[in-house]
Amino acid sequence: MTDRSDRTVGALLGVHAGDALGATVEFDSWEYIRFRYPDGVREIVGGGVFEWPPGHATDDTDLTRAVALAYLDPGDDVVLAAARLMLSWYEGDWPGRVPGRPPVDVGGATEGGLRTFARTGDPDGSGAGPGRAGNGSLMRCIPTALAVRERERRIRESVRISAVTHSDARCTVACAAYNEIVAVLVEGGSAAEAVAAGVAAARELGERSVVAAIALGERLDLAELARTGVTGLPDDGNGYVLDSLALAVAAVLDFRDLSDVLIDIVALGNDSDTNAAIAGGLLGARDGASSIPDGWLSVLQFREEFTGIAAEFARR
């Protein structure tokens, strides 16, 4: 039996675990993964194109950490605090990195947004504009859902933190809808109730493409996708924000255990770590940290820190 505290911890660690599981085969094809891992990637073993140590954070987890830390000490503006922490990550002031060495895995829109913020100091005017709709803000947005209980403020800050790097409405509204799903889940609502809350937020913000992506996710059968490699997604799960949102919705509506669902998402390949991180956040919020295999948890770089951050969010 899970409680709100366990689900809050689960949301953060679900992002971390999905990220670390998928990093092994990031950018690989379904065909290659099927050949190399016929039963799926079932353990967090590291490696991949960037040769990650097992459980090491990629940009997905690192930037989630940046947003989470901003909510612990927001100052006058949590969005400004988040932008500054993300810039610290980009400039090499980050655990597990040689000081001053930039990340190896920064996305184009994220890099552009952070470089603009470094020049202007304005977090509200730095993001890539319309036409840049990658999943780089959706992957890091979950701390807002865990830290903010007031719906209006939660939606507003979801949009603004996305727009530091990703200001296309598909990105900002996807973050708001995703965080409404998380907020219902951590309070003990059902997956169906949570998805309905996400749809309501997307409709309220007037972004029909996000509504359509959620509807697509409601129709996807992840076990079948993993078996055939045929996703039916607009960009085949290769970094488009609405592909990642649809997969996450499919994941949270899947009745199976968190591990089985994430293994199937990773099996699809392409942007496997980010897709699994985004889905892992919803699954962890649904099922709690107790649903994540001990063997996965034991190697996560920020396990203890994320557990402490989530405990503070739950206490507040």
Side-chain angles (χ1 to χ4, degrees), residues 78-285:
V78 71
V79 181
L80 180 60
R84 286 171 173 166
L85 283 159
M86 289 190 285
L87 183 61
S88 292
W89 166 80
Y90 177 66
E91 293 181 338
D93 181 14
W94 205 254
R97 185 114 48 84
V98 175
R101 178 175 294 176
V104 297
D105 57 341
V106 60
T110 297
E111 182 172 37
L114 294 178
R115 291 180 69 174
T116 299
F117 171 69
R119 186 176 69 253
T120 66
D122 178 10
D124 293 306
S126 56
R132 300 290 295 275
N135 55 17
S137 62
L138 186 61
M139 71 188 191
R140 67 173 192 246
C141 72
I142 204 167
T144 301
L146 307 177
V148 180
R149 303 292 286 273
E150 181 198 345
R151 181 179 184 272
E152 182 178 343
R153 178 188 160 201
R154 188 168 58 236
I155 291 175
R156 182 173 64 251
E157 291 178 2
S158 296
V159 168
R160 287 185 65 210
I161 291 174
S162 172
V164 173
T165 56
H166 294 70
S167 55
D168 186 292
R170 289 167 290 181
C171 302
T172 60
V173 177
C175 289
Y178 178 93
N179 277 339
E180 290 311 294
I181 296 172
V182 175
V184 172
L185 292 171
V186 296
E187 295 295 347
S190 71
E193 291 169 335
V195 170
V199 171
R203 286 179 173 155
E204 182 178 316
L205 294 170
E207 188 54 46
R208 287 183 288 182
S209 67
V210 174
V211 176
I214 295 173
L216 174 59
E218 292 176 304
R219 299 192 299 271
L220 295 178
D221 181 336
L222 292 176
E224 181 68 6
L225 268 57
R227 187 183 69 81
T228 65
V230 179
T231 67
L233 297 168
D235 193 40
D236 204 27
N238 201 27
Y240 180 39
V241 64
L242 298 185
D243 283 8
S244 295
L245 180 62
L247 287 172
V249 168
V252 78
L253 293 172
D254 195 311
F255 67 89
R256 295 175 297 159
D257 291 343
L258 172 148
S259 56
D260 291 332
V261 177
L262 289 183
I263 288 165
D264 278 352
I265 286 181
V266 169
L268 301 176
N270 291 328
D271 199 6
S272 54
D273 61 329
T274 303
N275 291 331
I278 293 166
L282 294 192
L283 291 166

